[in-house]
Amino acid sequence: EKARKAHADLCVSIHADASVKSHAHGSSVFALSEHGATSASARWLAKKENEADLIGGVNLAVKDPYLARTLLDLSQTATITDSLKLAKHVLKEVGHINTLHRGHVEQAGFAVLKSPDIPSILVETAFISNPSEEQRLKDDAYQEKMARAVLGGIKRYFAQNPALSKPRMAQSD
């Protein structure tokens, strides 16, 4: 909702991971899973029913609920694809700063990733439950390196996927 109000081209949520195992370590990057997308789309569509709104340039105030759902599903699928592209770029850059918890982009149904029209990723910078990684997380230099790595991944993503001009809609507060 905040990203949409800001007319954002993407959403990046930054976290510190935790585990009951103090030896767990590494950074991760997540995008939405297809399974998470379906339930998020259903909730979003229900909330927006009877409202005229634009998602990816598509007006969802159509009378046919099946058509609206299909349009929303197409938009969500395209958004997940873009989120995965973004996540891969960010993961590669973050991998230069910290070891990776897994060697690939992970997918999950985190609420912060469920925008049907804004590519969104969640970055787990390190494990706060790991004493050595906790110290790194407190270090200004590490924070700066991690921030630059995330930014580098975003820049690489936009270099290959330029942001489209989004229509500026009147805000209804």
Side-chain angles (χ1 to χ4, degrees):
E1 198 173 300
K2 287 181 181 182
R4 190 168 293 107
K5 283 182 180 179
H7 306 288
D9 293 313
L10 56 86
C11 176
V12 179
S13 184
I14 300 177
H15 301 258
D17 212 341
S19 174
V20 294
K21 299 175 183 175
S22 64
H23 64 275
H25 67 281
S27 299
S28 303
V29 180
F30 288 84
L32 186 64
S33 69
E34 288 286 346
H35 178 68
T38 303
S39 61
S41 297
R43 279 194 303 277
W44 190 88
L45 186 58
K47 181 180 175 191
K48 290 295 183 181
E49 192 174 345
N50 300 325
E51 289 182 24
D53 203 356
L54 291 175
I55 294 296
V58 177
N59 188 332
L60 292 181
V62 295
K63 304 249 185 253
D64 183 344
Y66 297 108
L67 176 58
R69 176 57 189 237
T70 300
L71 293 173
L72 186 60
D73 283 348
L74 288 170
S75 178
Q76 180 76 78
T77 299
T79 299
I80 289 173
T81 299
D82 283 343
S83 297
L84 287 167
K85 289 177 189 176
L86 171 62
K88 286 177 186 175
H89 287 292
V90 171
L91 184 72
K92 182 177 180 182
E93 295 297 318
V94 167
H96 296 301
I97 306 306
N98 194 16
T99 58
L100 297 177
H101 186 63
R102 305 234 191 284
H104 60 276
V105 172
E106 297 181 72
Q107 290 184 263
F110 292 117
V112 72
L113 300 177
K114 293 184 178 182
S115 171
D117 60 329
I118 300 171
S120 303
I121 63 171
L122 184 144
V123 179
E124 295 284 6
T125 55
F127 277 82
I128 198 165
S129 54
N130 178 312
S132 61
E133 286 202 349
E134 178 187 13
Q135 290 306 311
R136 291 178 78 190
L137 286 166
K138 291 179 181 179
D139 181 61
D140 289 344
Y142 178 79
Q143 292 175 16
E144 181 72 22
K145 285 179 188 176
M146 186 58 71
R148 288 188 185 280
V150 172
L151 178 60
I154 291 169
K155 286 181 175 181
R156 287 181 188 274
Y157 167 77
F158 278 131
Q160 293 179 6
N161 305 277
L164 298 174
S165 177
K166 292 187 176 187
R168 301 293 183 209
M169 298 182 296
Q171 291 190 8
S172 57
D173 293 20

